[in-house]
Amino acid sequence: MDQSLSSGRGHVSVLCCFPPSVGRDVAVAIVKPLRAGLGNPDTRSLLRTDRQVKWTMEVLCYGLTLPLDGDTVKLCVDVYTDWLTALVSPRDSIPPPISREPNLYTQKILRSLYSLFLSRSDQGSPVYMSLCQQVLCAVQSLARDSAVMSRDTWDTLLNFLLCVNHTMLATGGVSEQLSHLSMAVLFEVWLLSCSRCFPSHSLWQTGRQMLSSCRHQAAVVEQWSRVIAALTSRLLLLTFGPSFPHFKVPDKDAALIPEDMDEHIVPQTWFRFLHLLSNPVDLSRPVVVGSTPSSHEEASRGDSQLPNIFFRAMRGVGTLVDAFLGVTVVNKEPTEQLLPSTGFATRIHFRDRLPSLGVAVTRSPFRDRHPSHGVSRPRSGSAPPIPVNILSLPIALPSTTSPPPHSKRLKPVNVSKAASRPLAASSSPHHWKLSSPPPPSQPPLCSSPRPSPSPLRCNVDSLLHLFGDWLFDAALFNRDSAGHGDVTVMSARWAAGRAEACGTLCRIFTCKKTAEDILSVYLSRFYLVLLQGLQVSEEVCPPVLASILLNSTCLLCCDLKGVNLLLPSFISAVETVLLDRDLLRFKGFVSPVDLRRASILVLLTMLPLPLQFGSVRSDVLLDGRFNGDDVPGGGFLSLKPRLIGVLVGALQTETDASNTQIILAAMLNLVQDSALIKAAGQPQQSDAAGILWVQFVRLLTQRLTAQWRNDSAVCLSALEVLGGLAKVEVSVEESERRRAVTSVCCYIVFQCSRPPPLHSRDLHSIIVAAFYCLNVWLSQHPTLLDHQECLLEVLEIVELGISGSKSRQEQEVRCKEKKELNPASLRVKEAAEATLSCVMQVSGAFPSLGGLLGEDAVIGRSNLSDSSMKNFRYFVVDRSVILSMLEQPQGPEQAPCPSLTVLIRGPSGGHTWTLQLHLQPREGRTETQQTLIPEQHDVAQEDAGIRCGVKHQLFPENIDRVASVKADLSIPALHETVTEEVQQQLDRLQAALKRQRQVEARPQVSGRSVVMKTCRPPHPITNFQTARLFLSHLGLLTPETLKSPGTSGVPAQLVSLDSSLPGFSEDLRRLDQLPSRNCDSAFIFYMRAGQRTAAEILRNVEFSCSVQSHFLDFLWSLGRPVEVGRLRQGGGFNTNSSEFPAVLGDSGGGVFNGQRFVLMYTDALTEITFIVPSSSHTSDLSKSPEEAEPPNGVPSNLQSLFEPSRDSTPEPPSSPVEDLKSFRFELSSVGSESKLLIVWVERFEDIESFPLSDLLSGTKTEPPTSVSNVQLIFVHPLKTGLYRIRFIGNTSSKFSSVVPLVNGSVVSKRCLGFLVRETVINCCQRRRLESDSAPPSHVRRKHMINDIILRYRSRRSEPAFYAALFQDP
């Protein structure tokens, strides 16, 4: 440091030898003429020689030390600042000697100006602050604009600023505003010097010593954080290139770095600036914090600001770490929020409330300056750079619970209850609760989800080499070792900085790459930090515990060596948070909702560990020395009861909708894993799975009908989980399943009974989802319908959905024909009809009996000719069911009998039935049985012609012996009911009978006997008119059924169709192609490590050697291989387990690309097609909307979509890029605009590089699929045998939190396929609930049937209708 400056006295003038009055008078007399000539370009300087200038500078130097009561000091400052412009733009008003040697005189002027900053009694006045500001601005302009400064001048300038800052900060009497200004000028000039004249090593050492001695001042730490962030932004661009996420800083901060700074100078400058403050952790050590008296005084004060400065320093380091991790940031405009009280500790700048993913804007140090008014306040924008969080777009792979979720800055301002109350359902996927201002000693922690780090980020070891010493020292800092002061109070004061360091360390380790190795020394120190920070004793530090949980949501699924040994500590910490409903100890510095969400995500990663490792024992695992628990050593399985207790307790204490949905997803995962563990050789877990199933079902049903019934988002997830639990195979009592069905029914009743103003589309969507859940339970457990009470309850709910009310209301019973149909909505009515169809079709008996065969297939399976196609009769019953009747018998029959083949087409699907009418039951017939016909004889019978007298009686002979009763009088006598007209008819009848008796009483003309032939029955008929018999037996051939109800456009109950009209057969074919179940599709990709292009990804599945064996097992668990051209033949998909390896062969899954085979999962309600696209056999997986048939739906029979052209000639093989362009996604029932992709990734960080846009651009669907309409499920295998899940959905959706797989889920191999299928089903079901253009399958079929009735309805009269039944078609 310059000797004249380092002495602390600056340049000493000769006037100091004279009495003060003499020096003051001389200074006043000299400075006024000089000041008068300034600013006038036509005025020449009064000083012409070198001696004159030097003598005048002696006077000006003395004038700078005078009191501020006059204007002498100001005039001296004006003269000096004007002369400094000689290095920029010389003028005539500047003395010629200075213009000739500007560098030499500038160095002298700077030494003289130092006298202004010496300690004085009036240095707190506004005048003094204004003069200091004027000098600093002049020096700043000099460094910016001068192009002729020599190295000596640069050194003198930097020494001047170092001494000025040292003097001002050491005394501590100046305002913080001036301190911030002086530090800002120092750092800016220093950066300019690095670009133009790099400072010497000794000067760097001097700067480091000065700043280390003054780091107890807030201005030093804040301005250092600002500059180092700007340097880091430039360094990252030069080091990693433009592909690395840009670390954006405010434009004013970025402007501090000269544009012309050489790229080789930037790393040197960055590294030296990084260590200017030495070790920031020394701020927590009063003995070494500084070497000045003010530093020791500050450290010894009870209200010291050192804890806050320590926290800001650690936050600045955390910002740099986030930058090196490659977190995308955005720029934010500056905003200032002042708390009611003043002072540094209570003032929270807007940047403190931003999420820690970016850097806030700092105001310029040369404007917007406010006087201190006697109170020391930091400048606006003086806080260190704080990272900024953004919710990533779907293309950037976002999520509601995107790992690793970190914090969102809490706004420490008072908000209204309406503003702070979290919304139950909103279009936004996240709702953050605002808290009250935190205590001064505990700044708010970050608690919002963060985007994933860049895959180009540096290794963990590299970051720890740079920042590890500081972060570990701060994280392991224990103020108790100081040996003085109250332990609890002192620990709480330093907790914020320690928490920031712990959170930063957790973020570093959670960003470990898949195949990355970390030094054992770093792992051991990090685990020691966690063991101390996760303690739950009375002396626990809540900020540290909260910071670790907020930043460790995916720590247990990063394949860190030995991390599972921390399981007991994490369980204890999670118990502390999730089982406490109020969280009073944490509310002051973090949002309880966000803290609970982070704890839930940590719990998700721990749930599968006990079952995965089973009886593996570790004495270190359960050692109570670290967590304070007296738990004996044991295996991982012994931790399962604690985890279940935490999960159940968290669900009971949770009030936030998003958190509740995550817990629900974890419940289904745990139950399914427990139920499947029996197959892994642990049968003792089967009973535990049943107990757990009962406990969860009871808890869900109880809260569904009570606490959650007003929260649509939670109810939807709960219904999905209930549907998933219905598919879990456990041994429980039937009453438990009936309890679940009853709860769903009660929920539907409650929602339908809401007042009309509360009815909305969302409410009706939830009711539809409840009916679907009911269908799942009835399909999976059809024996529930064997219980009369359960069946009655289900049918009442169906009646409620269709008609809007129940017939049985308390004691009153209303007939259905007297009720008015007033359903809650058309969607609810259609959902209830689907449930009724599910009940009537004996749900669960899939494949269903009598799969539909078309007319061509029926004729092909019989001995009929093609001309018999015209013999089908077509009727419509109840305006919803089309009956196709063929009256000719099917197959060879030795005996003719009434035979009928009926093709039934309804909204719920199609069926084919063959009916035969026999006179005896099936058991009594033989294969050769014929109709009984009496034998015929040529000779007359012996009794022919002999008449036997037979007395005809109308009543039995003993009728008179029976006593009469009143019932005998119920039929009146004939004479009592005869009218005059009837009496005349009776008289004529009696006269005719009398004449006939007279004729019969005449004697025979001849005595010969009359030979009479035996009466024989006619020959059996072969034309039975079975269609007429069938309709008659169903009671449909009545005048009432054939009459129109009178409503315009509504046909009668029984209507015949005219099959001769053109287009009839084509419409029937299109109706047959409409699915009767929900048909969805998903696409599976395999992404190897380091791949970036779509062509590489499509080539992976061509050969099994290119994929992991676990991937093939995963495909096997999703569904069964089905040949594309035979999807509907045989009625079902009864493929044995050996078929998958046979079909797979040497392929890596590409055989299921839709060219010949696909993977298909089917049940009574759902049909999912899994397609594995490949580059060798890319095919037309869908038709465009113009080619799709029918236009309002997609056929469940995929043959029309997949079957290749038979007459096409083989084409030469194309390149992968050309194949990709011809690749097209299949249209599913949720519309072509939405897609669902399942991606297996070998490296988790490659998710950020998944070429989603390239894959979508290769599709030919119209309209083109946008990124926001794509849902992705990433599956990453871990070394533990578990699988880490990343789910990316549409964040703009109202119901975006799909279960059971959520961001951060960790699942076992046993239940991976089941959970993926359930997630696919729920994703597509939610799409249908939200879309108006994708009605359910049964609704589409119903609309198609109505169109057929309107087009082909026969207009014949009633007599013509009956006549047609007696005629051949």
Side-chain angles (χ1 to χ4, degrees):
M1 191 177 292
D2 192 297
Q3 294 296 326
S4 63
L5 298 178
S6 61
S7 63
R9 298 181 295 109
H11 181 72
V12 181
S13 174
V14 69
L15 292 180
C16 294
C17 301
F18 297 93
S21 59
V22 176
R24 181 172 56 254
D25 295 340
V26 172
V28 171
I30 296 299
V31 74
K32 287 187 177 180
L34 292 175
R35 177 63 180 85
L38 300 179
N40 190 352
D42 299 331
T43 302
R44 296 182 59 187
S45 173
L46 299 176
L47 307 177
R48 310 302 300 175
T49 64
D50 185 69
R51 294 181 58 187
Q52 294 173 353
V53 173
K54 290 181 179 180
W55 184 85
T56 305
M57 291 180 66
E58 293 286 338
V59 177
L60 294 176
C61 180
Y62 181 80
L64 292 174
T65 61
L66 295 177
L68 299 177
D69 50 359
D71 58 351
T72 304
V73 179
K74 182 180 184 306
L75 295 177
C76 294
V77 171
D78 291 342
V79 172
Y80 268 152
T81 54
D82 183 73
W83 287 0
L84 286 177
T85 59
L87 276 173
V88 180
S89 57
R91 298 191 304 271
D92 293 339
S93 59
I94 299 176
I98 299 178
S99 299
R100 288 193 300 268
E101 299 183 60
N103 282 286
L104 175 62
Y105 280 97
T106 296
Q107 298 170 26
K108 294 181 178 181
I109 293 173
L110 291 175
R111 295 187 183 97
S112 299
L113 284 175
Y114 176 66
S115 303
L116 176 66
F117 296 91
L118 296 176
S119 178
R120 58 176 72 210
S121 59
D122 52 358
Q123 64 182 6
S125 64
V127 176
Y128 177 76
M129 295 176 57
S130 177
L131 294 177
C132 294
Q133 173 185 336
Q134 182 179 348
V135 172
L136 293 174
C137 291
V139 171
Q140 182 187 42
S141 300
L142 175 66
R144 286 177 176 177
D145 303 332
S146 177
V148 294
M149 288 179 61
S150 63
R151 171 170 288 278
D152 292 339
T153 305
W154 277 109
D155 292 345
T156 303
L157 179 58
L158 294 178
N159 271 296
F160 166 76
L161 292 174
L162 286 174
C163 293
V164 167
N165 281 276
H166 183 269
T167 302
M168 297 175 61
L169 297 176
T171 57
V174 298
S175 65
E176 287 194 30
Q177 179 181 346
L178 186 57
S179 301
H180 282 278
L181 176 61
S182 62
M183 286 302 306
V185 174
L186 170 63
F187 285 134
E188 182 178 356
V189 174
W190 201 289
L191 290 172
L192 290 171
S193 177
C194 292
S195 176
R196 302 175 187 177
C197 183
F198 198 80
S200 62
H201 177 70
S202 60
L203 197 57
W204 281 102
Q205 287 294 107
T206 303
R208 182 175 181 178
Q209 293 175 4
M210 192 282 294
L211 292 175
S212 297
S213 64
C214 300
R215 58 193 170 188
H216 63 283
Q217 297 288 346
V220 177
V221 174
E222 294 181 12
Q223 294 301 327
W224 170 80
S225 300
R226 174 192 176 202
V227 173
I228 196 62
L231 278 171
T232 303
S233 179
R234 178 72 66 87
L235 176 68
L236 294 177
L237 181 62
L238 297 176
T239 304
F240 296 97
S243 58
F244 192 79
H246 182 48
F247 177 48
K248 298 188 66 176
V249 295
D251 294 338
K252 294 179 180 178
D253 292 353
L256 295 174
I257 315 301
E259 292 292 339
D260 56 349
M261 181 178 287
D262 188 80
E263 61 181 11
H264 300 291
I265 299 298
V266 173
Q268 292 287 338
T269 304
W270 178 87
F271 186 80
R272 293 170 185 264
F273 256 93
L274 180 66
H275 294 85
L276 276 181
L277 298 186
S278 297
N279 188 354
V281 187
D282 291 340
L283 290 167
S284 61
R285 305 184 179 103
V287 178
V288 295
V289 64
S291 59
T292 61
S294 62
S295 63
H296 296 294
E297 179 183 356
E298 177 71 18
S300 61
R301 289 172 51 192
D303 58 345
S304 172
Q305 303 301 325
L306 285 179
N308 296 281
I309 300 173
F310 172 58
F311 162 73
R312 291 175 180 269
M314 289 296 101
R315 177 159 290 182
V317 174
T319 300
L320 302 183
V321 170
D322 288 337
F324 277 95
L325 293 177
V327 179
T328 307
V329 297
V330 295
N331 195 1
K332 294 291 183 180
E333 294 298 327
T335 304
E336 183 175 345
Q337 264 318 13
L338 296 180
L339 296 180
S341 57
T342 58
F344 174 78
T346 57
R347 176 187 173 275
I348 304 298
H349 189 266
F350 176 72
R351 281 174 293 176
D352 296 338
R353 297 179 285 108
L354 291 178
S356 59
L357 298 181
V359 179
V361 177
T362 303
R363 294 192 183 188
S364 171
F366 306 112
R367 55 183 175 179
D368 298 334
R369 289 179 290 270
H370 306 285
S372 62
H373 301 291
V375 179
S376 177
R377 291 193 313 172
R379 291 185 308 103
S380 172
S382 61
I386 302 302
V388 177
N389 173 48
I390 60 172
L391 292 177
S392 56
L393 299 176
I395 184 59
L397 309 180
S399 154
T400 66
T401 52
S402 174
H406 295 310
S407 53
K408 179 176 182 179
R409 303 290 172 205
L410 302 178
K411 296 185 178 180
V413 294
N414 293 326
V415 296
S416 64
K417 293 182 179 180
S420 62
R421 183 174 59 251
L423 300 178
S426 175
S427 59
S428 176
H430 303 289
H431 314 286
W432 311 115
K433 182 178 179 181
L434 303 178
S435 65
S436 58
S441 60
Q442 296 179 357
L445 295 178
C446 309
S447 56
S448 72
R450 298 158 44 93
S452 296
S454 170
L456 302 177
R457 62 186 181 273
C458 55
N459 293 335
V460 172
D461 286 345
S462 300
L463 281 177
L464 294 178
H465 292 337
L466 282 174
F467 308 104
D469 289 342
W470 298 348
L471 294 174
F472 283 124
D473 287 351
L476 295 173
F477 162 71
N478 191 352
R479 190 62 180 83
D480 303 347
S481 61
H484 61 276
D486 184 79
V487 173
T488 304
V489 175
M490 297 301 290
S491 299
R493 290 178 57 204
W494 299 94
R498 183 186 169 198
E500 189 72 22
C502 292
T504 303
L505 282 173
C506 293
R507 293 200 297 273
I508 292 176
F509 281 90
T510 53
C511 291
K512 169 190 170 295
K513 297 180 181 179
T514 300
E516 181 182 353
D517 292 328
I518 303 177
L519 293 177
S520 299
V521 62
Y522 287 143
L523 283 174
S524 60
R525 295 189 68 185
F526 177 59
Y527 293 162
L528 183 60
V529 169
L530 294 180
L531 286 174
Q532 291 189 4
L534 293 174
Q535 293 180 2
V536 293
S537 59
E538 293 297 332
E539 293 77 17
V540 64
C541 188
V544 175
L545 177 63
S547 181
I548 292 176
L549 291 176
L550 289 169
N551 295 280
S552 302
T553 53
C554 62
L555 184 66
L556 297 176
C557 55
C558 292
D559 284 334
L560 292 174
K561 293 182 180 179
V563 71
N564 291 330
L565 301 178
L566 301 174
L567 202 59
S569 298
F570 271 105
I571 293 178
S572 300
V574 169
E575 286 175 339
T576 303
V577 175
L578 295 182
L579 301 184
D580 186 358
R581 187 183 300 272
D582 299 325
L583 293 177
L584 297 179
R585 293 195 298 174
F586 299 92
K587 281 186 175 180
F589 49 86
V590 69
S591 168
V593 172
D594 299 331
L595 180 59
R596 292 179 64 89
R597 179 177 294 112
S599 302
I600 293 170
L601 292 175
V602 173
L603 180 62
L604 252 64
T605 62
M606 296 189 293
L607 284 175
L609 293 177
L611 292 179
Q612 180 68 15
F613 295 107
S615 58
V616 175
R617 300 179 62 87
S618 174
D619 294 334
V620 181
L621 174 68
L622 298 179
D623 192 353
R625 291 176 297 174
F626 296 108
N627 53 24
D629 297 334
D630 297 331
V631 181
F636 280 84
L637 200 57
S638 61
L639 297 175
K640 182 181 177 182
R642 291 184 63 187
L643 291 173
I644 295 176
V646 175
L647 185 64
V648 174
L651 187 64
Q652 293 174 340
T653 58
E654 187 57 62
T655 57
D656 180 73
S658 299
N659 294 352
T660 303
Q661 294 176 73
I662 301 175
I663 299 174
L664 292 175
M667 295 174 66
L668 180 56
N669 185 352
L670 181 60
V671 174
Q672 176 66 7
D673 200 14
S674 301
L676 295 177
I677 198 66
K678 181 179 181 180
Q682 298 185 22
Q684 69 275 12
Q685 294 296 322
S686 59
D687 296 337
I691 297 174
L692 194 61
W693 188 94
V694 171
Q695 183 180 8
F696 284 172
V697 168
R698 289 183 177 182
L699 184 58
L700 283 180
T701 54
Q702 186 271 329
R703 301 186 77 85
L704 180 66
T705 55
Q707 290 91 339
W708 297 340
R709 60 185 184 180
N710 294 322
D711 193 326
S712 58
V714 175
C715 288
L716 182 57
S717 297
L719 291 170
E720 291 173 348
V721 172
L722 272 178
L725 290 174
K727 301 177 183 179
V728 177
E729 297 181 1
V730 291
S731 298
V732 296
E733 296 182 0
E734 196 72 13
S735 59
E736 297 296 337
R737 295 190 172 95
R738 294 200 301 271
R739 181 198 303 271
V741 173
T742 300
S743 299
V744 176
C745 294
C746 294
Y747 178 78
I748 296 175
V749 172
F750 171 79
Q751 299 295 352
C752 292
S753 60
R754 285 179 176 269
L758 298 181
H759 280 243
S760 62
R761 178 178 176 82
D762 290 347
L763 176 64
H764 296 159
S765 296
I766 297 300
I767 299 176
V768 172
F771 273 109
Y772 181 79
C773 178
L774 194 60
N775 296 345
V776 173
W777 276 90
L778 298 179
S779 302
Q780 296 296 325
H781 306 284
T783 56
L784 292 174
L785 300 178
D786 297 338
H787 298 271
Q788 183 177 3
E789 295 181 358
C790 183
L791 177 60
L792 180 61
E793 188 172 19
V794 172
L795 293 179
E796 285 185 343
I797 296 303
V798 170
E799 179 192 4
L800 175 64
I802 295 177
S803 64
S805 61
K806 294 182 180 180
S807 296
R808 187 172 59 180
Q809 298 286 348
E810 296 180 355
Q811 302 298 328
E812 180 184 1
V813 177
R814 298 174 56 191
C815 297
K816 292 180 173 54
E817 59 270 13
K818 297 181 180 179
K819 292 174 56 177
E820 295 182 2
L821 295 181
N822 187 23
S825 70
L826 180 60
R827 296 170 61 209
V828 173
K829 178 177 179 291
E830 293 167 347
E833 291 175 346
T835 302
L836 179 60
S837 174
C838 182
V839 173
M840 295 301 177
Q841 292 189 11
V842 189
S843 301
F846 180 81
S848 58
L849 299 176
L852 177 65
L853 295 175
E855 282 79 356
D856 296 334
V858 170
I859 295 175
R861 293 191 179 189
S862 63
N863 296 330
L864 305 177
S865 61
D866 294 340
S867 60
S868 62
M869 178 68 180
K870 301 178 182 179
N871 293 334
F872 279 92
R873 301 178 187 268
Y874 293 92
F875 302 93
V876 178
V877 179
D878 290 333
R879 302 178 292 277
S880 60
V881 178
I882 297 179
L883 301 180
S884 303
M885 299 184 184
L886 179 63
E887 297 178 316
Q888 300 184 20
Q890 297 291 299
E893 292 289 342
Q894 298 183 4
C897 62
S899 178
L900 181 68
T901 301
V902 183
L903 279 63
I904 306 172
R905 296 178 173 94
S908 59
H911 306 277
T912 302
W913 292 86
T914 299
L915 303 97
Q916 292 180 340
L917 180 61
H918 291 270
L919 301 180
Q920 293 182 350
R922 188 184 304 271
E923 292 77 7
R925 298 196 302 265
T926 61
E927 296 182 358
T928 59
Q929 180 179 358
Q930 297 182 358
T931 305
L932 180 61
I933 302 177
E935 296 181 358
Q936 300 182 6
H937 301 276
D938 296 334
V939 298
Q941 299 294 328
E942 295 179 355
D943 59 349
I946 300 176
R947 302 183 59 182
C948 301
V950 178
K951 182 180 180 181
H952 299 279
Q953 294 182 345
L954 298 179
F955 297 97
E957 295 180 358
N958 58 353
I959 188 64
D960 296 333
R961 304 175 187 174
V962 179
S964 300
V965 295
K966 292 183 178 181
D968 296 333
L969 302 179
S970 60
I971 301 177
L974 182 62
H975 65 275
E976 298 178 0
T977 58
V978 173
T979 61
E980 182 178 355
E981 181 180 358
V982 175
Q983 185 62 41
Q984 295 177 359
Q985 296 177 358
L986 290 177
D987 294 341
R988 290 194 295 271
L989 179 60
Q990 291 177 356
L993 291 176
K994 183 178 180 181
R995 289 194 298 272
Q996 182 63 25
R997 285 195 293 268
Q998 293 175 356
V999 172
E1000 295 177 355
R1002 294 176 185 175
Q1004 297 181 355
V1005 178
S1006 175
R1008 294 184 300 106
S1009 301
V1010 180
V1011 179
M1012 301 180 62
K1013 294 184 179 180
T1014 303
C1015 296
R1016 295 185 177 89
H1019 291 280
I1021 61 174
T1022 57
N1023 186 9
F1024 297 99
Q1025 300 160 358
T1026 51
R1028 175 181 59 81
L1029 293 176
F1030 179 73
L1031 295 176
S1032 178
H1033 292 169
L1034 293 181
L1036 296 176
L1037 293 182
T1038 62
E1040 291 77 11
T1041 58
L1042 299 178
K1043 291 182 180 179
S1044 176
T1047 306
S1048 176
V1050 178
Q1053 184 179 0
L1054 179 64
V1055 176
S1056 62
L1057 300 179
D1058 189 354
S1059 59
S1060 62
L1061 295 177
F1064 180 78
S1065 60
E1066 182 67 19
D1067 284 347
L1068 279 186
R1069 187 183 68 83
R1070 294 171 63 188
L1071 176 62
D1072 295 340
Q1073 290 177 343
L1074 282 179
S1076 59
R1077 295 169 293 184
N1078 294 329
C1079 295
D1080 304 307
S1081 61
F1083 299 88
I1084 305 174
F1085 298 92
Y1086 187 95
M1087 188 176 184
R1088 298 186 65 182
Q1091 292 184 340
R1092 296 292 184 271
T1093 64
E1096 293 175 333
I1097 295 175
L1098 292 176
R1099 282 197 297 266
N1100 292 334
V1101 294
E1102 294 181 5
F1103 303 101
S1104 59
C1105 59
S1106 301
V1107 299
Q1108 298 174 347
S1109 60
H1110 300 300
F1111 173 71
L1112 301 179
D1113 296 338
F1114 168 64
L1115 294 181
W1116 198 347
S1117 66
L1118 288 179
R1120 300 169 179 173
V1122 178
E1123 193 170 356
V1124 169
R1126 300 179 179 178
L1127 291 181
R1128 286 296 175 185
Q1129 297 180 11
F1133 306 95
N1134 297 322
T1135 56
N1136 52 38
S1137 60
S1138 62
E1139 184 174 348
F1140 183 88
V1143 173
L1144 183 66
D1146 295 333
S1147 170
V1151 68
F1152 305 110
N1153 59 5
Q1155 184 81 3
R1156 183 180 177 186
F1157 292 98
V1158 294
L1159 287 173
M1160 180 164 289
Y1161 169 80
T1162 53
D1163 60 18
L1165 302 175
T1166 307
E1167 181 178 304
I1168 307 177
T1169 303
F1170 295 98
I1171 304 171
V1172 186
S1174 64
S1175 60
S1176 59
H1177 295 287
T1178 53
S1179 60
D1180 185 3
L1181 297 183
S1182 70
K1183 292 182 179 292
S1184 62
E1186 292 79 11
E1187 299 171 340
E1189 296 180 356
N1192 60 345
V1194 179
S1196 175
N1197 185 354
L1198 300 180
Q1199 179 177 357
S1200 61
L1201 296 178
F1202 289 99
E1203 196 171 39
S1205 177
R1206 297 180 180 178
D1207 56 353
S1208 60
T1209 58
E1211 297 180 358
S1214 58
S1215 64
V1217 177
E1218 294 175 351
D1219 290 335
L1220 176 62
K1221 292 181 180 179
S1222 64
F1223 175 73
R1224 297 197 288 183
F1225 286 105
E1226 175 200 4
L1227 291 171
S1228 64
S1229 61
V1230 296
S1232 61
E1233 70 279 358
S1234 61
K1235 301 291 180 292
L1236 199 150
L1237 277 63
I1238 303 170
V1239 186
W1240 185 286
V1241 288
E1242 292 184 354
R1243 294 195 319 190
F1244 193 78
E1245 57 270 16
D1246 289 340
I1247 293 177
E1248 305 297 331
S1249 305
F1250 181 69
L1252 177 61
S1253 301
D1254 294 341
L1255 289 173
L1256 294 180
S1257 63
T1259 64
K1260 299 179 181 179
T1261 55
E1262 297 179 6
T1265 303
S1266 63
V1267 174
S1268 60
N1269 291 325
V1270 177
Q1271 293 172 304
L1272 298 101
I1273 302 175
F1274 290 95
V1275 181
H1276 169 62
L1278 300 175
K1279 293 181 180 179
T1280 58
L1282 300 174
Y1283 296 88
R1284 183 179 177 183
I1285 304 299
R1286 176 95 180 264
F1287 178 81
I1288 301 169
N1290 185 7
T1291 56
S1292 62
S1293 172
K1294 289 177 288 188
F1295 304 119
S1296 59
S1297 300
V1298 183
V1299 295
L1301 291 182
V1302 297
N1303 262 337
S1305 296
V1306 178
V1307 301
S1308 66
K1309 182 179 180 179
R1310 295 179 295 272
C1311 57
L1312 178 62
F1314 170 81
L1315 295 176
V1316 168
R1317 287 198 307 266
E1318 285 300 299
T1319 304
V1320 171
I1321 293 173
N1322 294 336
C1323 285
C1324 298
Q1325 182 67 13
R1326 293 196 179 205
R1327 290 275 190 178
R1328 278 185 285 270
L1329 290 177
E1330 297 177 359
S1331 176
D1332 293 327
S1333 59
S1337 56
H1338 68 280
V1339 176
R1340 295 202 304 270
R1341 292 182 59 88
K1342 182 179 179 180
H1343 292 168
M1344 187 68 180
I1345 292 174
N1346 290 333
D1347 293 340
I1348 292 176
I1349 296 174
L1350 294 177
R1351 292 180 184 179
Y1352 307 106
R1353 176 184 177 184
S1354 178
R1355 305 294 178 178
R1356 66 183 63 175
S1357 62
E1358 184 174 347
F1361 176 85
Y1362 283 113
L1365 291 177
F1366 290 90
Q1367 301 173 359
D1368 294 334

